[in-house]
């Protein structure tokens, strides 16, 4: 798995340059990828250009310059917030790298001491918040139980295989009875033919 992870890491580094945000003077093609799908109609754009505001119960037109000024101010606030969040996330990432370097490369006994002192948190993080265990208990084991006890042993082996095997056993039992009637004796066949003719004639006579 190491080689695929290295390839994905390299791809993620260069893929980030596709979406450089506006706060860093980028184009951010990812943000504008679905922009044509959400474009306002011509009527909506005309309404935005001639936007109106209700002031003291009367509608007063708002100039296009005021609209652009408000949009520019909102864009500046957005870029400022974006820069702050970028700085915060980068700081958290660097702090995590520094802590990992200290505990696992510089002072490994300190990591063991923290794990022993905070055993509950260490166990929680070691088992990845027990997501796999919960997934196995809630989804994997019920599906396995249903497929093994219900679908396999009851539906497949009990109903389907039972029906197929039952048809085979019925044919074998019937063929065993018919096989006993095939004695190979001409006298037995003649007697059976005579008995059959007598039964048919008797049935017709009783019916008449």
């Amino acid at each position: 798995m190491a080689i695929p992870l290295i390839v994905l890491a390299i791809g993620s580094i260069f893929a980030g340059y596709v979406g450089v945000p506006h706060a860093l003077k980028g184009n951010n093609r990812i943000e504008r990828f679905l922009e044509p799908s959400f474009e306002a109609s011509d009527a909506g754009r005309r309404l935005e250009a001639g936007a109106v505001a209700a002031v003291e119960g009367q509608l007063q037109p708002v100039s296009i310059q005021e609209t652009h000024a408000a949009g520019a101010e909102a864009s500046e606030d957005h870029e400022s917030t974006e820069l702050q969040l970028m700085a915060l996330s980068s700081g958290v990432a660097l702090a995590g790298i520094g802590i990992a370097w200290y505990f696992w490369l510089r002072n490994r006994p300190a990591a063991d001491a923290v794990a022993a002192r905070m055993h509950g948190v260490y166990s929680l993080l070691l088992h990845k918040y027990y997501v796999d265990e919960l997934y196995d208990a809630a989804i994997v084991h019920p599906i396995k139980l249903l497929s093994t006890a219900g679908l396999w042993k009851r539906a497949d082996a009990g109903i389907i295989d039972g029906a197929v095997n039952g048809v085979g056993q019925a044919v074998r039992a019937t063929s065993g009875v018919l096989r006993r009637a095939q004695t190979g004796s001409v006298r037995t066949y003649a007697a059976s033919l005579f008995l059959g003719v007598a039964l048919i004639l008797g049935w017709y006579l009783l019916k008449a």
Side-chain angles (χ1 to χ4, degrees):
M1 292 299 295
I3 295 177
L5 291 176
I6 293 174
V7 174
L8 292 174
I10 296 174
S12 64
I13 292 174
F14 290 101
Y17 289 99
V18 179
V20 177
H22 297 286
L24 298 179
K25 309 304 179 183
N27 192 20
N28 202 353
R29 297 178 182 178
I30 296 177
E31 182 182 13
R32 300 176 57 187
F33 177 70
L34 295 176
E35 190 175 85
S37 302
F38 299 98
E39 284 184 351
S41 62
D42 293 336
R45 285 195 292 268
R46 288 195 299 268
L47 180 61
E48 182 181 358
V52 294
V55 178
E56 295 181 358
Q58 296 180 355
L59 295 178
Q60 297 181 355
V62 178
S63 63
I64 298 177
Q65 290 80 5
E66 293 178 357
T67 303
H68 287 317
E73 184 178 355
S75 178
E76 292 178 358
D77 293 339
H78 176 73
E79 290 183 358
S80 176
T81 304
E82 191 173 11
L83 287 174
Q84 293 175 4
L85 293 176
M86 290 170 59
L88 178 62
S89 60
S90 299
V92 171
L94 293 176
I97 294 173
I99 293 173
W101 173 82
Y102 174 77
F103 278 108
W104 299 105
L105 296 179
R106 185 70 180 273
N107 192 359
R108 187 62 181 268
D112 299 332
V114 172
R117 187 165 56 250
M118 305 177 65
H119 180 71
V121 177
Y122 173 76
S123 179
L124 181 66
L125 297 177
L126 181 64
H127 292 87
K128 301 178 293 293
Y129 301 97
Y130 295 94
V131 173
D132 294 339
E133 288 78 0
L134 293 174
Y135 181 80
D136 289 338
I139 297 178
V140 175
H141 288 297
I143 292 178
K144 184 178 179 180
L145 180 62
L146 175 63
S147 60
T148 301
L151 298 179
W152 172 35
K153 293 184 178 180
R154 295 183 181 274
D156 190 5
I159 299 175
I160 298 176
D161 290 347
V164 173
N165 296 333
V167 171
Q169 292 175 358
V171 171
R172 184 171 59 183
T174 305
S175 63
V177 175
L178 295 176
R179 184 172 61 248
R180 294 176 182 176
Q182 302 295 327
T183 61
S185 175
V186 178
R187 293 180 180 180
T188 303
Y189 296 157
S192 300
L193 179 61
F194 176 77
L195 179 61
V197 171
L199 291 175
I200 292 173
L201 290 176
W203 183 77
Y204 274 107
L205 292 174
L206 291 176
K207 186 178 180 181

